[in-house]
Amino acid sequence: MFLHYTNLFRPKTEFMMKSIICFFAIGTLFLTGCGSDAEKLPELSDATGTILLDGKPLVGGLVSFEPQISNSVKAKASFGSTDEEGNFKLRYNATTDGVIPGKQVVRVSKLSGTNEEPGEEILPSKYNTESTLTAEVTKEGPNDFPFDLKSK
């Protein structure tokens, strides 16, 4: 009965390989901070507003403020949605309210249909894909922006 010498080392080698892979995976997560941007948030200012369409509150509209700053700075848009009175509050991400201060391109969108089966855009392109809307968000505030949109 001869034991082949490679069989003596195989279990240890497999265990070592799995340990090394696990070590590198945990180390990578540790070094990247598990993808958290909590420490990397830019300076933000609160921003709210009201959207009217032909003088009536726009219900269920999506609003975005896109900072217009130099390309060397990573700038992320802030988003919000309008309530039954057309009011919105902008969020930088899922857990943080606010907008990067400065000049913004404002986009407003409203789709026909339902959330399950959205339809076509009901607002003119000058309010969304080819927006002419702008706003200036200041550090001091108040940053409350009313927009009275026209359907035609």
Side-chain angles (χ1 to χ4, degrees), residues 44-131:
L44 300 171
S45 296
D46 287 337
T48 58
T50 305
I51 307 283
L52 301 178
L53 179 61
D54 298 325
K56 297 178 183 174
L58 179 68
V59 179
L62 301 176
V63 183
S64 71
F65 276 42
E66 300 172 8
Q68 301 303 295
I69 55 180
S70 70
N71 290 338
S72 63
V73 178
K74 183 178 177 183
K76 181 179 162 189
S78 294
F79 295 89
S81 59
T82 57
D83 62 16
E84 58 280 341
E85 295 174 357
N87 298 319
F88 65 89
K89 182 173 186 174
L90 295 168
R91 298 186 67 90
Y92 185 73
N93 62 31
T95 59
T96 308
D97 291 340
V99 178
I100 296 173
K103 185 173 179 154
Q104 312 284 325
V105 170
V106 179
R107 299 184 194 279
V108 183
S109 178
K110 170 71 174 161
L111 301 179
S112 63
T114 64
N115 286 340
E116 292 79 28
E117 292 187 36
E120 295 183 16
E121 177 64 59
I122 66 169
L123 298 176
S125 61
K126 67 181 180 180
Y127 300 132
N128 42 67
T129 57
E130 300 171 17
S131 184

